[in-house]
Amino acid sequence: MASLAPDALGPTVTIGEILVEIMATTLGNGFLEPIELLGPYPSGAPAIFIDQCAKIGGSAGIVAAVGDDDFGRINVERLRRDGADVSAISVSHDFPTGSAFVRYRQDGSRDFVYNISKSAASLISLTDTAKALFARAGHLHVMGTAFAIPGVWEMMEHAIAVIKGRGGSVSLDPNLRKELLAQGQTKERFARLVSVADLLLPSGDELFVAAGVDGETAAVAELFSRGVSEIALKRGERGSTFFSADGVRVDCPAFRVDEVDPTGAGDCFGGAYVACRRLGMPAQRALEYANAAGARNVTVRGPMEGAGSRAELDAFIAATPRAS
Ligand code: ATP
Ligand code: MG
């Protein structure tokens, strides 16, 4: 049985931050002297997810907020152009669009200067247009990053009740670090999300954090015992694995690419995977598109610049060797 509601039930909807990203063109530490910067690029994990979801042909929409400025406009126009429903993106006349300045260090780690909590991104609320989008949605995708925004938890609970109530499904990309789970409340919320999720999209350690158990087999079994029906585990340049509650496992090797900018791979993977599954594709095919979406995105500078249409991903799949 399919674990996600079909695309025809209504769009995949996500909630969360829309940002611009402005990146240093040179490797190094931080922003303590004048350096060359490149941007603005449309960004924000939920925005990247929903852009890829729409671009591959899934119906998709986002609840978010931007400022009345060019940083907001390039995001909204990109999402609209790529086919996402932007009706529930509200525009603040007081706060600017959120931003993230990023610089990569030699070792691949990153320094950030964020403006999120004092930006329009923090103003997401349950507007009439947001309610209307939830009322016609077929699937909710929860992004762990969004919980930094006040009021988002209550909105998630509303969306879960409405969407599940009409036969829709829920996915969760934890996007969480162990440090963030130090507070008991966050841990409880996270457990609650796992209990309502049909699909989990963890990467790396997040599988163990989500399960509260170490070891891949034990963690997967624990999550299935809590009602999850499928897991798509992201393994970076080692590809991905599908696990289903009825015991099926599918491994999908990564595509071999030169990584230019790793940001957004996981979000593109998720957007493609959810869209493909909701469009009725078997797990193997959905993983292949998801791996392609993640891999293609890292070959291009900018967090969502490499998101691909179905035709672009078909061309990428045909032209790109796979790691064995
Ligand atoms: P993010 O770094 O955006 O948080 P993530 O850790 O959630 O991402 P990853 O596992 O890094 O997710 O990437 C998602 C998918 O994208 C991988 O499963 C893989 O298929 C593809 N991918 C990511 N990086 C590479 C790479 N360097 N080479 C090939 N494929 C990649
Ligand atoms: Mg990664």
Side-chain angles (χ1 to χ4, degrees):
M1 225 185 72
S3 73
L4 302 188
D7 195 77
L9 182 66
T12 294
V13 173
T14 193
I15 306 171
E17 71 282 5
I18 284 179
L19 309 173
V20 287
E21 184 173 305
I22 295 167
M23 61 180 70
T25 59
T26 52
L27 295 180
N29 290 350
F31 297 93
L32 292 167
E33 74 270 321
I35 52 173
E36 266 187 357
L37 298 168
L38 193 61
Y41 288 106
S43 190
I48 300 165
F49 169 91
I50 213 66
D51 188 70
Q52 177 61 82
C53 186
K55 227 176 158 181
I56 201 172
S59 43
I62 185 169
V63 176
V66 296
D68 182 13
D69 53 32
D70 286 350
F71 288 178
R73 284 185 275 278
I74 61 161
N75 270 289
V76 174
E77 286 318 310
R78 171 67 61 87
L79 292 170
R80 194 200 311 276
R81 185 198 79 188
D82 289 345
D85 181 330
V86 298
S87 64
I89 302 177
S90 56
V91 178
S92 166
H93 295 279
D94 299 322
F95 280 43
T97 300
S99 60
F101 288 75
V102 60
R103 189 178 193 192
Y104 282 89
R105 298 186 186 154
Q106 291 291 349
D107 66 4
S109 65
R110 294 175 283 188
D111 288 312
F112 285 104
V113 176
Y114 283 119
N115 173 30
I116 300 177
S117 66
K118 299 287 193 289
S119 78
S122 68
L123 300 179
I124 302 173
S125 68
L126 193 53
T127 57
D128 288 344
T129 50
K131 280 187 195 155
L133 182 57
F134 294 141
R136 61 177 183 272
H139 182 90
L140 178 71
H141 179 72
V142 178
M143 269 291 176
T145 54
F147 290 101
I149 301 168
V152 159
W153 177 256
E154 290 70 20
M155 213 186 308
M156 294 280 186
E157 286 286 8
H158 170 89
I160 289 165
V162 170
I163 295 170
K164 285 227 148 188
R166 59 192 303 273
S169 45
V170 174
S171 53
L172 169 63
D173 184 335
N175 258 311
L176 282 182
R177 310 274 128 75
K178 274 177 176 150
E179 305 85 283
L180 292 175
L181 286 173
Q183 297 133 332
Q185 210 182 13
T186 310
K187 205 164 195 161
E188 281 158 28
R189 286 178 174 186
F190 193 58
R192 153 93 181 127
L193 288 173
V194 170
S195 77
V196 298
D198 302 285
L199 162 67
L200 293 183
L201 295 143
S203 76
D205 268 6
E206 289 169 352
L207 178 68
F208 313 125
V209 179
V213 211
D214 281 339
E216 201 168 287
T217 312
V220 166
E222 167 63 25
L223 292 165
F224 288 142
S225 80
R226 292 201 229 155
V228 171
S229 33
E230 69 182 69
I231 298 172
L233 178 63
K234 296 170 272 180
R235 302 181 190 273
E237 59 190 15
R238 291 180 298 118
S240 57
T241 303
F242 164 90
F243 301 92
S244 75
D246 47 18
V248 178
R249 172 185 175 135
V250 179
D251 289 292
C252 192
F255 290 93
R256 225 180 306 132
V257 293
D258 289 326
E259 186 177 284
V260 173
D261 179 357
T263 304
D267 309 322
C268 283
F269 177 98
Y273 185 83
V274 168
C276 289
R277 291 293 277 159
R278 295 197 64 216
L279 289 165
M281 288 183 205
Q284 169 78 54
R285 190 86 182 117
L287 280 186
E288 191 176 35
Y289 273 120
N291 278 358
R296 186 175 189 273
N297 197 54
V298 305
T299 64
V300 183
R301 213 182 237 175
M304 68 165 87
E305 300 309 298
S309 65
R310 178 95 178 251
E312 285 167 339
L313 294 174
D314 283 334
F316 177 89
I317 289 168
T320 313
R322 286 158 220 236
S324 43

